[in-house]
Amino acid sequence: MAKRLFQLPRIDQLTKDQRKVLRLSKEGQYLVVGSPGTGKSVVALLRAKEFSDDDSLFITYNHVLSHSTSQLYDGDIKCETALSWFYSLHWDLNGGTGGTYERDKMPEIKSHTPDYEEVLKRFKSFDKDYSNCQVIIDEGQDLPTGWFNCLVALRFRNFFVVADQNQQITDENSSRSELEEVLGLDDTEVIELKENFRNSTPISDFSNYFYTDKTSPKPDTPDRPSTDTPILFEFSNIDKMQEMILHEYDRDTSKLIGFIVPTEAKREYYAKHLNKNEFERTNKKPIISTYHAELAENVNIDFSYGGIVVLIDKSVKGIEFDIVFVLIDGFKNPNNDIESLQKRLYVISSRAKEKLFFFQNPKYNNVVNDTLPKVGELSEVTGEELLKRRTI
């Protein structure tokens, strides 16, 4: 396991548009939009650092992203997940105790889904004033407007939200227009970041294939050529698939590899079996990390070192890996929602900085196949094949 570069850029390394964002005052409502890799999270984190001594809170969507954020700043930033913080806020405002749990617990439509209309009534009754606070929100598209409306009822006034509506893969979310409305903005007050700093040209081009936002042009493709075109591997032997992942790590132990799988059962299986695999290697055995929802805040992934991380797709929002492998066998597409599936593939593929690989067992039907680029389909940007196919 070797050290990898895991740090924020210096101010002088930012683009003109990114520096413009950092000059915004603490007071006010701001929405920053952009595709993966454009630095939305970077400017949000740098803003949180600038106001770390003030009454500011950094909100993320999931625990893995929250852990990654805290690791970047060694715990110096107050960072919480949106729902955990929202539940705690509601509990504290109600003065909840063990003896009053049934009365003061969060009203829910279903488990872990607040009844925002009921919460809004409660928050209005408290007559609280949080107008001096600033809420910095990463992945704002994954929060419903009800979440924002409840905070406005407590006189939260200062919102800094970064979002990409094409990365909506949760059941509850907000579109760009909905965020503009809830924040009281118009189009001229929304800041767009366009330059992709994460992906290679082939990976960005492949990710943009799944772009579904018909109201906006596709994100710019970075000028970062690479011979590593995304590849779909057909396999009939699980061991060969696992050995390919382990071999990729053994080539360079400073690389952090993400292995994205469709279900918790597969996540648990491969995290266990990759750790047990004893294939011939040149370097030491990699650290195999994983995370599931029951662990809550106990994330054990170290993003500052190379290794292999096994996650389901909903845990990778906002995260980036040097290399990404994706097992597409087992992905579901409820109600045949093609756009939802495209958004999931957009999020998954844009996690990769350098290399992107897919695995499929041809014996099984796969809902992802019809959504992938066809055999021989060429990129309009590079003229090269968007997705190569190989057999292992």
Side-chain angles (χ1 to χ4, degrees):
M1 185 173 67
K3 263 283 196 187
R4 67 187 288 262
L5 185 63
F6 184 62
Q7 62 187 36
L8 290 170
R10 302 188 309 271
I11 300 298
D12 63 288
Q13 294 175 316
L14 301 180
T15 66
K16 179 180 179 180
D17 288 337
Q18 290 170 335
R19 291 197 298 272
K20 177 182 177 181
V21 172
L22 291 184
R23 290 196 295 270
L24 298 172
S25 66
K26 176 186 172 184
E27 291 73 29
Q29 298 82 42
Y30 308 103
L31 176 60
V32 180
V33 297
S35 61
T38 54
K40 302 185 304 299
S41 296
V42 167
V43 295
L45 283 165
L46 290 173
R47 183 178 179 86
K49 181 180 180 181
E50 180 179 354
F51 294 108
S52 60
D53 294 331
D54 295 334
D55 198 1
S56 297
L57 176 68
F58 192 93
I59 294 289
T60 65
Y61 170 68
N62 63 44
H63 287 292
V64 177
L65 181 54
S66 179
H67 171 76
S68 171
T69 299
S70 296
Q71 192 176 338
L72 269 171
Y73 277 125
D74 197 23
D76 289 340
I77 288 179
K78 185 181 180 183
C79 178
E80 299 190 45
T81 57
L83 276 186
S84 294
W85 175 75
F86 192 75
Y87 271 71
S88 295
L89 176 65
H90 176 272
W91 182 255
D92 292 342
L93 289 174
N94 277 280
T97 66
T100 62
Y101 175 76
E102 288 301 323
R103 184 192 71 195
D104 296 329
K105 68 180 181 180
M106 174 70 74
E108 295 180 320
I109 297 174
K110 60 182 180 180
S111 180
H112 303 299
T113 303
D115 183 341
Y116 290 108
E117 290 186 8
E118 181 60 34
V119 176
L120 182 61
K121 294 176 185 177
R122 294 187 182 187
F123 280 7
K124 284 180 177 178
S125 71
F126 292 134
D127 193 28
K128 294 289 185 179
D129 187 351
Y130 288 91
S131 57
N132 289 328
C133 298
Q134 175 187 216
V135 186
I136 302 171
I137 303 167
D138 199 1
E139 304 292 345
Q141 75 280 346
D142 285 320
L143 295 174
T145 55
W147 188 92
F148 290 93
N149 286 328
C150 287
L151 297 193
V152 172
L154 296 172
R155 297 191 181 91
F156 280 91
R157 295 289 181 267
N158 305 313
F159 292 92
F160 182 90
V161 183
V162 300
D164 177 6
Q165 70 177 28
N166 208 63
Q167 295 190 67
Q168 297 168 337
I169 62 171
T170 57
D171 294 332
E172 291 193 319
N173 50 58
S174 296
S175 66
R176 171 173 170 171
S177 60
E178 287 171 332
L179 288 172
E180 289 175 5
E181 182 176 351
V182 78
L183 296 174
L185 306 173
D186 59 44
D187 280 340
T188 62
E189 296 174 300
V190 179
I191 302 167
E192 296 186 358
L193 299 179
K194 298 180 179 179
E195 191 173 352
N196 182 336
F197 297 94
R198 176 190 298 159
N199 309 125
S200 68
T201 302
I203 292 173
S204 174
D205 202 20
F206 179 85
S207 298
N208 287 346
Y209 181 84
F210 305 105
Y211 193 72
T212 63
D213 183 5
K214 298 177 178 60
T215 64
S216 305
K218 289 183 179 180
D220 295 342
T221 301
D223 184 16
R224 203 168 297 118
S226 173
T227 57
D228 293 307
T229 300
I231 301 174
L232 171 63
F233 290 103
E234 290 190 346
F235 72 94
S236 57
N237 186 307
I238 288 178
D239 289 339
K240 288 186 176 180
M241 178 181 67
Q242 293 183 109
E243 287 177 7
M244 178 174 287
I245 297 172
L246 292 163
H247 177 71
E248 191 65 44
Y249 169 80
D250 199 47
R251 292 177 59 182
D252 187 343
T253 59
S254 70
K255 302 299 183 184
L256 187 64
I257 296 174
F259 183 28
I260 303 173
V261 297
T263 65
E264 291 288 5
K266 291 183 184 293
R267 178 201 57 76
E268 184 176 0
Y269 175 87
Y270 285 107
K272 177 180 178 181
H273 284 77
L274 280 169
N275 200 38
K276 294 171 68 174
N277 194 300
E278 294 296 339
F279 97 108
E280 185 177 346
R281 59 175 58 88
T282 303
N283 296 294
K284 291 182 178 180
K285 188 175 182 179
I287 297 295
I288 310 294
S289 305
T290 190
Y291 172 82
H292 58 90
E294 292 181 3
L295 291 174
E297 299 178 11
N298 299 317
V299 184
N300 67 347
I301 303 168
D302 192 340
F303 291 92
S304 61
Y305 283 89
I308 299 172
V309 183
V310 187
L311 295 170
I312 63 169
D313 61 320
K314 288 187 177 180
S315 294
V316 302
K317 292 294 293 292
I319 304 301
E320 65 179 32
F321 299 98
D322 300 300
I323 301 164
V324 167
F325 291 88
V326 186
L327 177 64
I328 63 175
D329 295 333
F331 271 92
K332 305 294 183 184
N333 187 20
N335 304 317
N336 196 31
D337 187 347
I338 300 302
E339 183 171 318
S340 176
L341 183 59
Q342 288 174 314
K343 286 182 176 181
R344 292 173 72 185
L345 290 168
Y346 178 74
V347 170
I348 289 169
S349 56
S350 60
R351 300 308 97 198
K353 295 173 63 177
E354 302 171 11
K355 297 180 183 181
L356 175 62
F357 305 112
F358 295 86
F359 290 122
Q360 174 199 5
N361 190 325
K363 292 182 179 179
Y364 304 105
N365 292 328
N366 196 300
V367 298
V368 174
N369 262 332
D370 291 338
T371 310
L372 293 174
K374 302 296 185 290
V375 175
E377 190 165 356
L378 303 181
S379 161
E380 296 178 0
V381 176
T382 66
E384 300 294 329
E385 199 168 9
L386 276 168
L387 178 68
K388 296 179 180 179
R389 287 163 168 81
R390 301 286 186 269
T391 300
I392 58 173

